[in-house]
Amino acid sequence: MVRKRTAILISGRGSNMTALIEAARDPSYPAEIVLVVANRPDAGGLQRAAEAGLETAIVDHKSFGKDREAFEHALQEVLQAHRIEIVCLAGFMRLLTAWFVAQWPERMVNIHPALLPDFKGLDTHRRAIEAGAKEHGATVHFVVPEMDSGPVIAQGRVPVFADDTESALAARVLAIEHRIYPLALKLVASGRVRVENGRCVIEGPVSNQEAAFLPGAAQ
Ligand code: GAR
């Protein structure tokens, strides 16, 4: 098996990044994490990545001013220089242009802390509580030009309790993020996720436990 060369893009602490790095320590995992890129020099995850022995890079969006395309071209150059095949956005807080997205068709995935299509955008946990949602969660999806909108690969659900605080709910969601992101990357890297009419179809058998996270798996 040739493992897919994968880059993780971060802006912050990188706990999802760490979950992916840990999964990929298993030599039979189909993705190899070869690079972590941050758009902020102070992203806490950079140190964690370096401690894990990974190569890191900083492409600081601030040094490109308002020129989003120049920033993205610099990012693309770094990814190409490392012969990256799959890009994982893990708490990467920059919107990407249609040009950049088009460089990675069905090869760039994102994790969003909500049950998409509900609660796109920011402050998802506060908004879920305010909306009186009984259920909340996280979604891993392919990236398309429209924000938080691509085909859903995996989704994990958690209950919302009547007396929930934003931080308690965020912690519950984060724990499920750390389960579904490694699962989604495993399936994408092994070529088992096909997009059909805008929806993901998972090929081959999955365990019952995995099926609970995979809307596109055969029942
Ligand atoms: C995660 O909850 C992720 O889902 C969210 O940021 C957090 C990053 O945490 N992503 C977004 O909100 C993307 N719009 P981490 O740095 O510990 O992985």
Side-chain angles (χ1 to χ4, degrees):
M1 176 199 51
V2 184
R3 305 174 78 199
K4 287 279 179 350
R5 294 176 63 80
T6 300
I8 306 176
L9 272 51
I10 62 168
S11 300
R13 68 190 158 180
S15 73
N16 277 290
M17 171 202 78
T18 301
L20 294 176
I21 291 171
E22 272 165 17
R25 274 194 219 285
D26 177 349
S28 70
Y29 191 80
E32 180 189 7
I33 313 300
V34 294
L35 178 69
V36 170
V37 188
N39 68 307
R40 299 174 56 112
D42 61 352
L46 283 171
Q47 197 187 332
R48 292 168 87 166
E51 281 164 9
L54 292 178
E55 193 165 331
T56 62
I58 298 165
V59 183
D60 184 354
H61 66 275
K62 287 203 178 124
S63 62
F64 298 92
K66 285 195 174 18
D67 193 344
R68 208 174 266 277
E69 288 193 3
F71 162 68
E72 291 183 349
H73 276 92
L75 191 55
Q76 182 68 4
E77 254 176 49
V78 172
L79 297 172
Q80 273 171 346
H82 288 81
R83 292 177 288 113
I84 296 303
E85 297 168 285
I86 296 177
V87 175
C88 292
L89 308 181
F92 185 71
M93 305 308 275
R94 300 299 294 168
L95 291 176
L96 296 165
T97 68
W99 174 79
F100 189 82
V101 172
Q103 309 309 304
W104 300 96
E106 289 170 32
R107 297 193 298 142
M108 178 157 60
V109 291
N110 179 46
I111 188 154
H112 180 73
L115 295 172
L116 292 174
D118 291 345
F119 305 118
K120 298 177 181 183
L122 299 174
D123 294 326
T124 56
H125 308 310
R126 181 179 55 73
R127 287 160 58 210
I129 290 172
E130 282 174 6
K134 295 280 173 275
E135 217 180 23
H136 186 44
T139 304
V140 181
H141 63 95
F142 282 121
V143 177
V144 297
E146 199 188 329
M147 182 189 71
D148 298 333
S149 292
V152 170
I153 305 163
Q155 220 161 33
R157 295 167 183 278
V158 301
V160 182
F161 301 122
D163 58 352
D164 246 335
T165 61
E166 200 177 326
S167 64
L169 181 56
R172 201 173 308 127
V173 171
L174 197 62
I176 205 96
E177 293 187 42
H178 298 163
R179 293 179 65 187
I180 62 172
Y181 212 170
L183 169 63
L185 177 58
K186 177 180 88 170
L187 294 169
V188 170
S190 56
R192 291 178 55 195
V193 186
R194 191 161 40 86
V195 178
E196 220 177 74
N197 302 323
R199 284 172 185 267
C200 289
V201 177
I202 310 292
E203 288 171 340
V206 296
S207 70
N208 286 343
Q209 214 177 15
E210 290 176 339
F213 296 129
L214 301 169
Q219 296 303 311

